[in-house]
Structure formats: C-alpha cells, structure tokens
Amino acid sequence: MTGYASARGPVVPQTLDSEAESSAPSLVVEVRSVNGRFLDLALRLPDELRAAEPALRERVASCLRRGKVELRVALELGGPAGLRLPSSHELQRLLALQDQVRAWLPQAAPLSVADALQWTQRHAAVPAQAHEALLSLTDQALQALQSARAREGHKLTAMLQERLAQLRERIQQAQPLAPLAVEQQRQRYLQRLHEALGAAHAADTPALQERVLAEATAFALRIDVAEELTRLAAHVDEMQQLLRQGGEVGKRLDFLAQELHREANTLGAKSASLELTRLSVDMKVLIEQIREQVQNLE
C-alpha cells in the first residue's frame, strides 16, 4: 500500500540552553511506500550513518511485509534552526592549520568567516548518540506509516467487499442457467445426430439409439459449468472471510484471485449460451479489478 511518514529529532538529548539546542545536530527520517507484491527496501543514508543500515533493514522488515519502500535519512549538522555554532576547539584547530599553511605560503589569503563556517559544518563529528536517535526516529516514522497504510487498507477492504458482492450476484445469476444450457445443448445434439443418421438412411435400432443418447450425454457433461460455479462461490466465501478476519492476508488473497480468474476462464470456454458468456465476461472484469487491488494489501 502507498503511504508516507516522517520524523525529526535531535541527535543528542535536549538541554535547557536554547542557543545550544538550536545549533545541535538533528536527524530527519522519511519513509515512503508504494504498491508491491513483495518487500523491496531501498535505503538512502549519509555516509556518517552507514553503520546503522543492518539495524534499519531489520526494523523495516519487522513492520512491513509488502511494498516498495524507501527510507531516507538526512543529518542536519546545523540543526533545524540554522547553522551549527562552531566550538572553540574547532576554531583553535582551524586557526592553527591556517598559521601552518601561511608559514609556507605567505601570500595565501586568510580564512573568511564563511570559510570557517563551511569547514566546521562539513567536518563536524557525528555524535555517538546518533545511532540510537536514528533507530528511535525510524520507529516513530514506521509507526506513522503503518497508521497511514491501515487507513488506506480499510478503504481497499470496503472496495473489495463491494466487488466480491457483485461477483457473487453474477454467480447466482449463472447457477440456474447452467442446467438449462446443458439440457438445451443435449437436445440440440440429439436432433442433429438423428438428422444426420436419417440422411444416411441408417437403421433405427435400439443399440444405435442408445449410442446416440450416450454421445449426447457425454457432450452435455463436457459443457456443464456447475463445478466451476461452485468453486467460484467457494473462493468468494474464502476471500470475504479473510477480509473480515484481517491481518496479513495479502498473499492468500492474491492466490485466491488467481484461482477466481482461472475458474472464470474455464467458465467462459465451456459456456454454451450467450447469457452465460456475458456473465463470464462480467466476472472477468470484476476479478481483474479485485486482482489489481489485492496486490496493495499486506
């Protein structure tokens, strides 16, 4: 299912110093998911947090089972309020480096404020608490994503129940037509055989009559769709039960949708009347709609 969620927080615990808090590094975690039959996870991490990749994959796999998921992490060293304030140690080290360079290159221009800020932002060390903060924010984002996917799942479930109800109506309409079509085809087959035998001046013997009746019956059985209609109804019952039950039912529903499609194809191939053919086409349309949406459920 599709969904989006994000979480933002500081890398280190908040302090009472508002100035220090505004310049503290922070993390932003974004999780996006789109439809997919299996779990396909892509991670977008800054180099400083690559070591957390195995733990992040484990976190996502424990919460999600299906979908194409992208987890993106951004490390804002300056914090959400602006640039990080360099420490005195960083400025002293930068000044010492400048003195060493200018000792060998007296013509080198001194560092500007912008140069000093850019260097300290780029080479700032990631705090040791970054790993724990990243996992905590990831849990928050995944929880929000699951809530969004659950809301979409309720809408999809209602739509699937509606399509299954329409499919059941088509099955019920076809059930009384099946034996009628079989009997009509049987009578038509008998009539044609008698006409062919009469044209050939064949002897009207009891053995021949029995052979003709057996052939007509065998043909009628070949076009009987009662078994396909029974299986279609059983699959619809099972899918409705799974939707009411909830939980991780996406793959089972996907399998049942494939079985529905197979039975509907057989029904259309064996159909011996125009009305049954029309109903089988309607069933295929509904089943295709069900198959498309079932793949979105987890």
Side-chain angles (χ1 to χ4, degrees):
M1 289 178 290
T2 59
Y4 171 83
S6 65
R8 177 192 292 271
V11 173
V12 295
Q14 297 182 357
T15 63
L16 297 178
D17 188 350
S18 59
E19 182 178 354
E21 181 180 336
S22 64
S23 63
S26 62
L27 285 169
V28 180
V29 178
E30 294 181 337
V31 186
R32 296 180 176 89
S33 70
V34 295
N35 302 331
R37 297 182 60 186
F38 306 99
L39 180 61
D40 182 9
L41 175 61
L43 296 180
R44 304 287 185 267
L45 304 177
D47 293 337
E48 298 87 349
L49 298 173
R50 286 291 179 187
E53 182 172 341
L56 290 176
R57 289 189 177 276
E58 183 179 352
R59 281 289 205 285
V60 175
S62 65
C63 295
L64 307 177
R65 296 293 182 270
R66 307 180 80 185
K68 186 175 182 180
V69 181
E70 180 184 15
L71 190 147
R72 185 182 297 271
V73 179
L75 177 62
E76 297 179 347
L77 295 176
L83 294 174
R84 180 183 62 88
L85 182 64
S87 65
S88 58
H89 174 74
E90 289 175 321
L91 294 175
Q92 290 174 0
R93 183 168 178 266
L94 187 58
L95 181 60
L97 290 173
Q98 176 184 244
D99 292 341
Q100 292 180 14
V101 171
R102 297 195 68 188
W104 289 92
L105 301 172
Q107 299 82 7
L111 288 172
S112 65
V113 175
D115 294 335
L117 288 175
Q118 183 178 6
W119 190 91
T120 54
Q121 298 298 319
R122 182 181 303 171
H123 296 85
V126 177
Q129 301 94 329
H131 185 86
E132 291 76 10
L134 175 57
L135 296 181
S136 176
L137 290 173
T138 300
D139 290 339
Q140 296 178 29
L142 288 174
Q143 184 177 2
L145 179 67
Q146 285 182 310
S147 298
R149 285 161 61 104
R151 290 191 295 270
E152 183 185 358
H154 289 308
K155 296 179 182 178
L156 289 177
T157 299
M159 188 278 289
L160 287 172
Q161 289 284 19
E162 179 184 353
R163 296 295 186 275
L164 288 171
Q166 295 176 6
L167 181 59
R168 183 182 296 281
E169 290 179 3
R170 303 301 190 280
I171 296 172
Q172 292 174 348
Q173 292 173 11
Q175 284 174 343
L177 297 176
L180 181 61
V182 169
E183 183 59 28
Q184 289 176 346
Q185 288 298 320
R186 182 172 177 272
Q187 294 300 326
R188 189 178 297 116
Y189 187 80
L190 283 171
Q191 182 180 356
R192 290 179 179 177
L193 275 178
H194 281 299
E195 291 174 355
L197 292 174
H201 303 289
D204 189 12
T205 62
L208 184 57
Q209 289 282 354
E210 185 177 349
R211 177 63 183 274
V212 169
L213 184 60
E215 291 291 338
T217 302
F219 177 76
L221 290 175
R222 286 196 297 271
I223 65 171
D224 187 11
V225 295
E227 186 176 353
E228 284 74 17
L229 292 174
T230 300
R231 284 197 291 264
L232 281 168
H235 294 332
V236 170
D237 290 340
E238 181 66 17
M239 293 186 76
Q240 289 182 323
Q241 176 62 28
L242 288 174
L243 288 172
R244 288 191 294 267
Q245 171 185 331
E248 297 178 7
V249 296
K251 292 184 179 180
R252 294 179 64 185
L253 290 173
D254 195 10
F255 171 76
L256 289 171
Q258 295 178 21
E259 291 299 304
L260 283 174
H261 190 265
R262 185 172 66 85
E263 297 296 343
N265 278 336
T266 305
L267 174 65
K270 294 173 65 174
S271 175
S273 70
L274 183 61
E275 184 65 17
L276 275 176
T277 301
R278 183 187 65 79
L279 287 172
S280 70
V281 171
D282 291 345
M283 291 180 192
K284 290 179 184 179
V285 172
L286 290 170
I287 292 170
E288 188 61 31
Q289 294 174 353
I290 292 171
R291 289 178 66 184
E292 290 177 358
Q293 297 302 327
V294 158
Q295 296 181 7
N296 302 335
L297 291 176
E298 183 168 324

